[in-house]
Each structure stands twice: as C-alpha cells, then as structure tokens.
Amino acid sequence: MEGNTAAKKIVSNSVQKPDEEKRSVTLGSIVGVAILTILLLYLAGVRAFGFPIPLLDENVAIMSLVRLALFVPILFLGKEVYVRGFGRLLKFNPNLESLAAIAIGLATVTSFYSLVMVIISREDYADRIHFEACAVIILFMMAGEYLEEKMNKSRGSTADKLKELFPKNVTVVRNNVEYTVPLSDISEGDTILVKPGENFPCDGSVVSGRAGVDESLFTGEALPVEKTNGDAVFAGTVCRSGFITIRAESMGEDTNLGKMVVAARNAESAKSSDSKVYTHLQRNERVYALCAVGIAILTFFIWLMASKDFGKSLEALERMLLTSCPSAALFAVPFAVNAAVSRGEREGVVYKSPSALEKIEAVNTVVMDKTGVITVGKPFVTDVIPFGTDAVEVVMIAASLESHSTHPIASAVLDYAKKNDIDPTDCDVFESVEGFGVKGVIEEDSISVGRADAIFIGEFEGYVAICQPLTEQGKTIAAVTRNGSPIGAIAFQDKLKPTSKSGIERLAKLGIRTIMVTGDSEGTGKSVAEEVGVFDHAENVTPSQKADMIRKLRYGGRTVAMIGDSSNDALALAAADVAISMKDGSDVALEASEIILLKNDLRDASYAVRISSESKKTISSNFLFGIIFNAVTVPIMAFSPLFIQNSTIDAFICLACLAVSTVAILFNSVRIKKMDLTATKDES
C-alpha cells in the first residue's frame, strides 16, 4: 500500500535550522600559534637585549628568514582572523577583526618588503620587520574568537524533539493479521493497534477496546483520559493502559502534532532571523574600529607633512594600528559571560547560550504554565469524605487496594496514608478495570475505588450533591465502595509549590508582569492565580493558543519569557523571546529552552534576570576599559618613531598592552561571581 505523503514528509524532512558557522578556530591551532609566537618573541627578546645566538646572530639575513619561517605557519593557521576581518570591511560593517586585518595586512606587506631589503644587504631594515607584533595580535584574536565560539552553545530544535513523539513503527491490522510497518506506510482508513506504552502514530478514532491515554502533550494534565469506541485520539499521545484499535484519519503534518511541528519550525526560523547577540557591543566595536583607523591615517599625514619622510610616516601608521588591535574588547564578552554563567549555575540557573543571558535582562513579561511550574504537577489527596464510617477506614481500604496499582491516583492515596500513619492491609484479589478504576477483595469484602460518575448513579446519585462543592473547585473525585455500597469519597488536586508565590513576587519587584496560562478549567486556574498573585491569567488554553498569546504580547511591544515544563508548552517556548524550563520538565521542553531552572524553583527566574543585568553592565565596562587603556597608549605610539627604532619593541608593547587590559577586565568580570543577590532572597 502506498504510504501517506504527509507522513513521509514529517518523518523524512529535517527541520530547517539557522545557518551555523563552522568552528574556524580550534584549540590545536591556538596552541600551535602560541608555540610559534613564543619562539618568535624569544628570538626577538634575545636579539633586542644583545644576547648572542650562534649562527643566527652572525647573519641578520638568516635571522630574518628564521623569523619568516616561524611567522608563515602563524599566518596560515590564523587566516580566518583577517579573512573575516576583510570580509566585514568589504561589507561596510567593520569590527575589531577588520581593524586587526588592516594592521596585520599592512604590517605583513611592509615586513616582507623589509625582509627583501635585508636579503640584499640592507641590514637596517631588519628593525622594520613586524612579524612578532602580527603574531601576538593573531594569537589573541584567535583566543578571543575561540572563547566566544565555545560559549555560543546552540539550544536544540523544538520541532526536532516534537517529531520524536511520532513512533518509528506501527502495528497495522489488515485482514485480521497484524503487520509491523514504518510510520510512512500508513494511510487514511488503516486499522492500527496501539499497545500500552506506545505513542499514537496518527489522529483517528477508536474502533474497539478501552485504554487510558496520556494527553498531557495537548492538555498539560498527567491524569490519563479514558478512551473507548468512537472517541478521538491524537498522534503523539501515549497509551498508558489497555489495548486499543483505532482508525487512521490524519497523518504526518495533517495531525495536531504535525501542525505543532510546523508551527515550532516557523517560530524558530522567525526568532533566528532576528537573533543578534550584544548588538550594543557590536555597534561600539564598529565605532572603535573606524576611529582607530581614522586616527592612524591622520597620524600618517601629520608625520608626512611634518617630516617629509614617507618611511617614518608609514612606521607611525603601522605602530598606531598594531597598538590599537590588542584591545580588551576581545575578551569583554567571553570573560563576563563565563563569570555570569558560573554564578548562574551556583544559583540553580543554566544559561544555554549567550543570547539567552543577554535577552532575559530585557524581559518585561513572563508567561508561565500552571502545572509543573506554579504547582507540583501531580495529584494529592485534599479531602476525605466518609459515608457511615470514619476517614481513616476509607483511606486504609483505598490504600490497601491502590498499593497494587501504578496510577497517579494510587500514588497520591499511598502518600497520604503514609503521611497520616495509616497502614494498608492485605488485598487478596486485585483487578484493574479500564474506564472505571480498581477492584479487589479485602478480608472477604468486595472493594472498589473508581470514578465517581461511574459509581454515584441510580440509588447512589444523592452522593453527587455531597461532592459537588469539591468538584466546583476543580478537584477530581474517586469513590470507595464496600460490597457495592459507597463508604466514602476522596478528592484529589495538584498543589502549589511552596516557593511559587514568593517567586512571582520577586519578578513583580523587578517590574516584570506575570501571566499564568493553563489548559485547566476556569475554576481551578482562577483559584491558583488568585492565590499566587499573578498579574493576569487565562484558562482552557490550548498549546497553539498559548503561542498565539505570546506572539500578540510581542507584537504589542512586550519582551516575553515563557516558563514551561511539558511537551504542550513547546509552541509557546518556541514563540517566546526567551524560553525557560524546569529541570524536571519533559525532553521536549528542555530541548526547546534557553534557560533551565535546576531547582525547579520559580524564585530562580528573578536570579536569571539580575545576573543577566549585571553581566550586561560588566560587558560594557570591560569594553570601556579597553578603550580607555588604548586611548592612553595609542597617542604614545603616534610619536614612537622619534624614540623607538626597533620594531621588536612593538611586539612587547602590544603584548604588555594586552596583558594589562586583559587582567583588568578579568578582575572586573569576576565581580559577577561575588555580586550580592540578597536583595531578592527571602529567608526561607
């Protein structure tokens, strides 16, 4: 049978990702350049201070050729520095690499000319060879590039992770025979068998069987939904219990999950096209590079007019450019980002990329899911209502039966019994009944714990009114019976994390608007929203509606962060300016996120903002340090031809400038690790 085109497309097509530059600078190449540069500087230092070098010291031409032999590999290994630099220059978008490219290019050309002059017996030209200074610049430009590339970790693709929810193989029933076929081979009208633990491969309707289905992908709620004849099922949801046969109706990109994949892909593409990290710093680099080149050219003409000596003027130009290049701005971002990331991890915040570290500081609206973010994300026993007995006996009987079940409701009953020192008794017979609950025999009594709407019917319909107030609060009700008669009801509900309210308060103190969105009913969502004090809230919201809400906020001028923890938050996470997830979230949410809160604590979101703000200030001050330092040294180099005749000294001046300014920004960046966060920490 010919496979469905949409199914093939969703399986075979890879998600389009933003273009990523292949890493051009490796640690090995940096080590190689460093060794060669050290050898060059050693020869230069020995020569400058008059120490004899056998063979080399006796012949200036041989010494110059050895310097060339050491420099050529450096020029090759560091070619990306000046190739990219000239590329940016040709695009009229210069930066520090462009400045370095101009300086290295000019100095290399004049150095080769000087080398030729040395070879033809003009030994005085040996002092005009700038191989050492160029090597120092290339080395540190490569080091800065390597650090920046290393910190630029890309977050995973939300669309890719969502696609993994489609099963690779499917059990198809044809002529009463089961066949295992690839997902791409199913078509509309096929009869498909889904077993416990398997994901549904398509959208369809139940033909036969009964099963508990985890639809948290779309609803966010972990409690399985009972599915029977005629009920709709959706691709990507999970069959938790029972065998079920469905009729395939929509496949691949035509399914709800497929539409989520396409929407996530589009959202990621839109975000990547606007992704510019530290644009304010890029603008500063451009201004600095243009000013440095402009001042160097002005110095050249001043020298030329004053001295009428082209050689001296060119020497001044070269020294100005070479001294301008080793700027602290090379390390302004990497050092600050590293310190911020380190501090974040100490506080339980993981920034997966520098762009996340930058963008979170600008966030003024945080949209958050309810289940798993504000609440714990699993049911807890909130009320026990006995009918003609006491609450302890109701819990004891329910726990005795549920001890044989793995359902989330069973876990809640057992946790409640343990906390209240209620010991279950032995269960002689146990049976799980799809669409109802569990049944068994305890001390010759027939016991059941099941859905209230399946038990409180007929003569027991009056119990519905007793449980009505709890139902209106959004609580799930389970009925307990003995020998066919109700003896009690147990109410379940998710509960708030103890830190959620203070976490929202901290965000509010930072001037950030908080909005809670949930797929829950209005009653449940409203009560949670009022208790934690969010600015606004919305209930009965589907995954696509969450994403639409975030897009509308962004179109309205808001910078939005989304905090989620489950697969149904994937579209919203992809649509937000910054995606944040809890550590215990689903694989899809973790893959989609740019920031992870390791402690699953909403309070840490405020730390993420404060650390980001401090890092941005530190980066700006780092860049300023570099400018101020060069503002002092560059004018000195403008007059250097008057008192410095040996170009070897230029290399050491470049090295000294870089060392001092680098140490300055290193100590400035380390301050982030020691910044005081107590202003937002509660005594808890």
Side-chain angles (χ1 to χ4, degrees):
M1 183 179 292
E2 185 179 353
N4 180 273
T5 304
K8 287 182 177 179
K9 188 175 181 180
I10 199 71
V11 173
S12 60
N13 282 6
S14 60
V15 176
Q16 297 175 354
K17 295 181 180 179
D19 292 334
E20 296 178 0
E21 285 189 11
K22 184 178 179 181
R23 174 167 285 189
S24 54
V25 179
T26 64
L27 185 59
S29 63
I30 292 175
V31 171
V33 170
I35 292 172
L36 293 170
T37 301
I38 290 171
L39 290 174
L40 265 176
L41 290 172
Y42 172 74
L43 292 178
V46 169
R47 177 171 166 271
F49 295 108
F51 295 108
I53 303 175
L55 298 178
L56 298 181
D57 195 51
E58 298 170 2
N59 192 314
V60 177
I62 293 177
M63 169 69 89
S64 299
L65 288 172
V66 170
R67 293 164 69 189
L68 174 65
L70 293 172
F71 179 65
V72 169
I74 295 174
L75 205 60
F76 173 76
L77 291 172
K79 63 181 180 298
E80 290 297 331
V81 171
Y82 48 86
V83 167
R84 280 197 304 267
F86 281 123
R88 293 287 294 267
L89 197 62
L90 292 174
K91 294 176 182 177
F92 302 100
N93 188 25
N95 62 354
L96 289 178
E97 283 186 332
S98 303
L99 177 59
I102 294 171
I104 293 169
L106 178 61
T108 299
V109 169
T110 58
S111 295
F112 273 103
Y113 172 77
S114 299
L115 177 63
V116 172
M117 297 301 292
V118 170
I119 293 174
I120 61 175
S121 301
R122 291 290 304 274
E123 294 186 0
D124 57 312
Y125 273 83
D127 292 332
R128 300 185 183 182
I129 297 175
H130 294 279
F131 291 154
E132 294 81 7
C134 291
V136 169
I137 293 172
I138 290 173
L139 174 61
F140 282 96
M141 290 297 292
M142 289 176 68
E145 178 70 16
Y146 178 78
L147 288 174
E148 191 161 353
E149 287 178 341
K150 190 175 181 181
M151 75 183 184
N152 274 305
K153 302 175 187 176
S154 298
R155 67 184 180 124
S157 166
T158 308
D160 273 345
K161 209 64 183 178
L162 283 171
K163 277 172 56 180
E164 292 178 8
L165 297 178
F166 284 100
K168 294 181 180 178
N169 297 307
V170 182
T171 302
V172 179
V173 181
R174 293 170 182 163
N175 299 321
N176 295 322
V177 179
E178 296 179 12
Y179 299 91
T180 300
V181 300
L183 174 64
S184 57
D185 284 354
I186 65 173
S187 297
E188 183 179 352
D190 278 345
T191 300
I192 298 169
L193 175 64
V194 183
K195 304 171 185 177
E198 293 183 347
N199 286 30
F200 284 85
C202 59
D203 289 357
S205 57
V206 178
V207 175
S208 64
R210 185 187 294 270
V213 179
D214 179 355
E215 293 188 333
S216 59
L217 172 64
F218 299 107
T219 65
E221 299 306 311
L223 289 178
V225 178
E226 300 297 333
K227 297 289 184 178
T228 187
N229 288 4
D231 289 340
V233 292
F234 305 98
T237 58
V238 185
C239 179
R240 290 300 182 194
S241 59
F243 290 76
I244 193 168
T245 303
I246 67 170
R247 180 183 181 277
E249 296 174 354
S250 299
M251 279 67 64
E253 290 187 353
D254 295 329
T255 64
N256 286 338
L257 175 58
K259 292 172 183 176
M260 286 179 67
V261 171
V262 174
R265 182 185 304 161
N266 293 338
E268 288 172 332
S269 297
K271 286 176 68 173
S272 66
S273 64
D274 287 334
S275 179
K276 293 183 180 179
V277 183
Y278 297 108
T279 52
H280 68 289
L281 188 61
Q282 293 170 359
R283 288 192 295 269
N284 291 341
E285 280 192 30
R286 189 179 306 117
V287 172
Y288 174 77
L290 290 173
C291 289
V293 172
I295 293 172
I297 293 173
L298 180 62
T299 302
F300 169 80
F301 283 110
I302 291 174
W303 263 95
L304 189 62
M305 289 186 292
S307 65
K308 310 298 182 183
D309 187 331
F310 182 83
K312 288 280 187 183
S313 303
L314 188 62
E315 189 76 8
L317 173 64
E318 291 176 7
R319 288 176 172 176
M320 285 281 287
L321 291 173
L322 291 171
T323 309
S324 300
C325 286
S327 169
L330 292 170
F331 304 101
V333 175
F335 281 5
V337 168
N338 180 70
V341 167
S342 176
R343 181 60 192 274
E345 289 177 352
R346 203 168 84 202
E347 298 296 337
V349 178
V350 172
Y351 300 96
K352 292 173 67 176
S353 68
S355 61
L357 178 63
E358 180 192 25
K359 290 187 294 183
I360 188 67
E361 186 267 344
V363 164
N364 52 31
T365 303
V366 171
V367 178
M368 61 190 75
D369 186 35
K370 177 185 74 70
T371 307
V373 176
I374 297 177
T375 64
V376 176
K378 64 178 184 178
F380 293 85
V381 174
T382 59
D383 304 270
V384 179
I385 307 172
F387 305 142
T389 182
D390 58 51
V392 173
E393 184 176 13
V394 173
V395 174
M396 185 272 291
I397 291 174
S400 301
L401 201 55
E402 297 286 13
S403 62
H404 296 270
S405 173
T406 58
H407 196 282
I409 289 292
S411 299
V413 171
L414 293 171
D415 286 344
Y416 183 82
K418 184 177 180 179
K419 289 177 182 177
N420 289 276
D421 297 322
I422 301 173
D423 297 323
T425 188
D426 293 333
C427 177
D428 300 321
V429 178
F430 174 81
E431 179 187 7
S432 177
V433 182
E434 292 299 333
F436 175 81
V438 293
K439 294 181 179 181
V441 177
I442 300 175
E443 297 179 353
E444 300 184 354
D445 288 328
S446 177
I447 305 296
S448 67
V449 179
R451 292 165 42 193
D453 60 354
I455 294 174
F456 295 156
I457 57 177
E459 61 180 307
F460 304 125
E461 193 172 354
Y463 291 108
V464 174
I466 299 175
C467 299
Q468 187 66 29
L470 300 176
T471 304
E472 290 175 352
Q473 295 173 27
K475 297 179 180 180
T476 300
I477 309 296
V480 183
T481 70
R482 179 163 53 196
N483 299 322
S485 299
I487 62 169
I490 303 177
F492 303 86
Q493 193 175 45
D494 196 358
K495 69 178 182 180
L496 288 179
K497 293 180 181 179
T499 57
S500 293
K501 185 173 183 179
S502 59
I504 289 169
E505 289 173 349
R506 290 183 183 187
L507 291 171
K509 288 178 182 178
L510 293 174
I512 296 173
R513 180 181 298 179
T514 53
I515 301 173
M516 185 197 79
V517 292
T518 178
D520 269 353
S521 63
E522 183 176 352
T524 302
K526 186 177 181 180
S527 63
V528 171
E530 290 176 349
E531 189 169 353
V532 296
V534 292
F535 177 84
D536 201 358
H537 56 93
E539 293 78 33
N540 296 312
V541 181
T542 65
S544 59
Q545 287 173 335
K546 288 182 186 179
D548 288 340
M549 181 184 297
I550 288 174
R551 279 190 284 268
K552 288 177 182 177
L553 287 168
R554 293 181 66 198
Y555 292 153
R558 311 295 295 182
T559 303
V560 185
M562 171 67 193
I563 306 179
D565 80 313
S566 61
S567 301
N568 75 95
D569 296 321
L571 288 183
L573 290 168
D577 293 290
V578 183
I580 305 174
S581 73
M582 299 294 183
K583 180 181 73 69
D584 290 342
S586 69
D587 289 344
V588 174
L590 291 171
E591 195 76 9
S593 65
E594 296 164 282
I595 297 174
I596 300 174
L597 305 183
L598 294 178
K599 300 174 186 174
N600 300 307
D601 189 336
L602 199 51
R603 295 177 301 180
D604 293 342
S606 63
Y607 295 167
V609 176
R610 294 202 63 219
I611 293 170
S612 170
S613 178
E614 190 66 23
S615 72
K616 187 174 181 180
K617 294 175 185 175
T618 302
I619 288 169
S620 297
S621 59
N622 283 348
F623 192 82
L624 185 61
F625 282 157
I627 292 177
I628 292 174
F629 198 85
N630 281 9
V632 175
T633 56
V634 167
I636 295 174
M637 294 307 294
F639 298 98
S640 62
L642 293 174
F643 49 86
I644 299 177
Q645 303 302 321
N646 192 335
S647 65
T648 301
I649 305 301
D650 293 342
F652 289 100
I653 291 175
C654 287
L655 190 59
C657 290
L658 186 56
V660 173
S661 56
T662 299
V663 169
I665 69 162
L666 178 61
F667 278 102
N668 186 51
S669 299
V670 167
R671 291 187 306 107
I672 298 176
K673 295 184 178 182
K674 300 178 180 179
M675 68 177 286
D676 182 18
L677 289 176
T678 55
T680 59
K681 283 188 176 179
D682 298 331
E683 295 297 324
S684 57

